[in-house]
Amino acid sequence: MDSESGDIIFSGHEGLTCHQFIRAVRERALESGHQRDDEWMADYASIRFEGEALKWFESLEDDTQTSWKLLRRAILSHYEEPAYEASATQFPAKQATRSAFTFTGKDNAECQEFVREIRLRASEEGKENDAEWMIGRAYSCFAGDALKWHASLPMDVRTNWPRLEKAILVDYPFPPIITVSPACIRVEAWFTIVGPSASFRCIRTRQDWLDEATERRRMYQEVKDKSTPCWMLVETESDIPENALATGVDQSGKLFYSARAWHDNHGIIVGKCGKHMAGIYLLYANLSHHLGPYAT
């Protein structure tokens, strides 16, 4: 680290270990309010490489260079070292009421202590009912094997404190038992504005949406019980599943299916698709034809 500017520098085999570098990037993102911004974190990390690590970074595919989720996994795969040294003293976070702490996942006792510590800190800050705050507080605490485990979790577990808490206490060091959550939101009254579902709150870009949709498709393909309805990412009309739920018919009797896709700068827009149609038609202003990946 540069003593004057506080910049994080990663050279690969001298100075920071790969675990320290990943944790330091996370701490910077948390301090800047960008802990869920995949592109911001990738951009921030991209200018912190030097020497051999910079040559390695430049050899990566563009998709890996521009996605923190992919980049951190590549860093761990290429540079992982057996030992992890806490970086809290080298990269001090903002002063807090309680001292900094890390979670390495060495045993069940530490898992329980970590969850208890997050709950205590949330209570001290009056945030015991703020699941988003607790996710943010826990984000930069993972280290060593726990950091690798956290990085491998599905997005809907990493960004949802009740699910992450359960995964730490019940599933660690294994991934959570795969389930597909129903794609639904609670509607109290049809005449009031309804907020987005929890899975949407972490989606800021088209790449976020594709990552989430790809992960959901993977989960659906792996589960044995496929009775729970969920959105399925498809590339073309020929990929529409045989058990897709039809929501209408055209004049010739061919089936329509509900669909959604990330459209330009408007975010996720709903529309309709069919096995007899190329792409989908989005119900936004005038009907707009969309040929990219979509979910049905």
Side-chain angles (χ1 to χ4, degrees):
M1 173 189 290
D2 185 290
S3 59
E4 294 182 359
S5 64
D7 285 345
I8 300 164
I9 300 298
F10 181 65
S11 61
H13 299 295
E14 295 181 358
L16 297 179
T17 67
C18 61
H19 295 111
Q20 290 172 333
F21 177 65
I22 290 173
R23 181 162 185 246
V25 172
R26 286 183 160 188
E27 289 174 348
R28 291 293 187 270
L30 182 61
E31 292 172 359
S32 302
H34 292 288
Q35 67 269 25
R36 296 185 183 176
D37 191 331
D38 187 71
E39 291 184 3
W40 186 96
M41 296 177 74
D43 288 343
Y44 180 84
S46 69
I47 58 173
R48 310 299 167 184
F49 295 95
E50 71 174 16
E52 188 276 333
L54 178 59
K55 294 179 182 179
W56 170 79
F57 175 78
E58 293 298 337
S59 72
L60 298 175
E61 297 290 338
D62 290 346
D63 289 348
T64 302
Q65 290 185 352
T66 57
S67 169
W68 175 242
K69 178 180 179 181
L70 298 178
L71 179 57
R72 69 171 184 257
R73 291 179 179 176
I75 293 171
L76 287 171
S77 176
H78 189 74
Y79 288 105
E80 185 177 11
E81 300 174 1
Y84 174 82
E85 297 179 0
S87 61
T89 58
Q90 295 179 334
F91 305 101
K94 293 181 178 180
Q95 293 297 319
T97 302
R98 299 168 67 89
S99 59
F101 66 105
T102 60
F103 172 58
T104 60
K106 62 183 179 181
D107 53 34
N108 288 334
E110 189 188 7
C111 292
Q112 295 177 26
E113 183 60 28
F114 176 65
V115 170
R116 182 173 178 273
E117 186 70 20
I118 294 295
R119 288 185 171 192
L120 285 173
R121 295 187 183 216
S123 180
E124 290 175 353
E125 297 290 334
K127 302 286 188 178
E128 58 269 22
N129 295 318
D130 190 339
E132 187 171 350
W133 184 93
M134 286 187 274
I135 281 288
R137 187 65 189 84
Y139 184 79
S140 63
C141 298
F142 292 89
D145 289 339
L147 176 60
K148 291 193 296 181
W149 176 79
H150 182 258
S152 71
L153 295 175
M155 183 182 296
D156 63 343
V157 176
R158 286 189 287 112
T159 58
N160 183 296
W161 173 247
R163 292 181 185 175
L164 179 60
E165 182 182 57
K166 177 179 179 293
I168 294 170
L169 294 175
V170 178
D171 301 306
Y172 186 85
F174 304 103
I177 297 174
I178 298 174
T179 59
V180 179
S181 301
C184 61
I185 55 177
R186 183 180 181 84
V187 178
E188 299 289 352
W190 291 109
F191 301 101
T192 59
I193 297 176
V194 179
S197 66
S199 61
F200 268 20
R201 293 172 188 163
C202 60
I203 298 177
R204 307 288 180 83
T205 66
R206 181 177 184 274
Q207 189 58 51
D208 286 345
W209 175 72
L210 281 175
D211 288 345
E212 189 274 341
T214 301
E215 179 66 17
R216 182 173 291 278
R217 179 174 61 186
R218 181 192 67 78
M219 294 169 63
Y220 180 81
Q221 291 171 342
E222 292 185 13
V223 296
K224 295 181 179 179
D225 180 8
K226 301 185 185 300
S227 62
T228 302
C230 70
W231 292 102
M232 174 66 71
L233 181 68
V234 298
E235 304 294 334
T236 68
E237 62 276 7
S238 62
D239 297 328
I240 297 176
E242 291 300 322
N243 62 341
L245 299 177
T247 53
V249 295
D250 66 8
Q251 294 180 346
S252 64
K254 295 179 179 178
L255 298 177
F256 281 131
Y257 304 90
S258 296
R260 66 184 186 184
W262 189 279
H263 183 60
D264 296 335
N265 296 321
H266 303 298
I268 299 174
I269 306 296
V270 297
K272 61 182 179 180
C273 67
K275 296 184 178 181
H276 60 293
M277 300 166 54
I280 67 174
Y281 283 89
L282 300 175
L283 306 179
Y284 179 77
N286 296 322
L287 288 178
S288 176
H289 197 199
H290 178 83
L291 291 174
Y294 57 93
T296 183

